[in-house]
Amino acid sequence: MASIFRAVLNFPIPQFATVGGALQYGRSLGRSLSQPEMVPWAFVGIVGGGWFIWPAIDEDWKNQFGLGEKPEEEIIIVVNETPAKPAFDAETQFKIEQAHLKDAAEVETEADKIIIAEIKGGNFKLLEKGWESDNKSFMMTVDEEDEEEDEDDEEDEEEEEEEEQEEEDDDE
């Protein structure tokens, strides 16, 4: 039995060399901490350690020992409840069910039918006219954008001057 104990004490441990060295360090630390002048520091160490360690502890572990909140029971109750369906009359219910469906006769106009027939034939010239006009209106050169910004700035300055004049008139 003594040989097993001696073998355990000689077992290597990082930082302390052996288990025996770790035990000796623990005993000496315990003696120094049991001195009366170290008692207030023990309180500070416990509070400070708890301050940093408590948020890192898993919520399941806290709940297992009754130290955390008990949200599981509340969540189960909320999840198992199903909301009541609103009651609609037959006409409204039919409209809701058919809202995503559209009648093709209502949507297509004669112009749409002509364009669709042209597209099926591979002719996109009718659409290209619209594309050209849209592209020209969407594309601006840098100079045009600068001119618009300058005009906006001038309008803002004029409005500010008018407001200042109104305030001066009110003060008089």
Side-chain angles (χ1 to χ4, degrees), residues 2-142:
S3 63
I4 294 175
F5 186 67
R6 220 176 286 126
V8 170
L9 288 177
N10 290 329
F11 190 79
I13 291 182
Q15 189 175 3
F16 296 105
T18 63
V19 172
L23 289 174
Q24 285 178 347
Y25 177 76
R27 275 189 237 129
S28 66
L29 185 63
R31 280 189 219 115
S32 66
L33 291 179
S34 65
Q35 302 297 323
E37 61 269 2
M38 298 303 281
V39 172
W41 287 107
F43 175 74
V44 170
I46 291 170
V47 171
W51 184 274
F52 288 105
I53 293 171
W54 185 255
I57 297 174
D58 186 34
E59 291 296 324
D60 292 337
W61 186 88
K62 291 178 188 175
N63 291 338
Q64 182 180 1
F65 291 101
L67 300 173
E69 299 175 3
K70 297 181 180 179
E72 292 176 7
E73 296 170 5
E74 296 171 11
I75 291 174
I76 291 172
I77 292 170
V78 172
V79 170
N80 289 336
E81 293 178 4
T82 57
K85 292 184 178 181
F88 296 112
D89 61 336
E91 182 182 349
T92 307
Q93 186 66 32
F94 179 76
K95 287 180 180 178
I96 292 170
E97 291 171 356
Q98 301 298 321
H100 66 284
L101 303 175
K102 296 198 179 202
D103 189 13
E106 292 178 17
V107 175
E108 290 184 5
T109 62
E110 289 299 320
D112 291 339
K113 289 179 183 178
I114 293 170
I115 292 173
I116 291 172
E118 291 288 325
I119 291 172
K120 285 182 181 176
N123 185 2
F124 294 95
K125 288 186 180 181
L126 292 174
L127 293 176
E128 288 174 2
K129 293 176 186 175
W131 294 341
E132 290 297 323
S133 63
D134 289 343
N135 285 341
K136 288 178 183 175
S137 66
F138 293 141
M139 291 188 297
M140 283 198 217
T141 62
V142 175

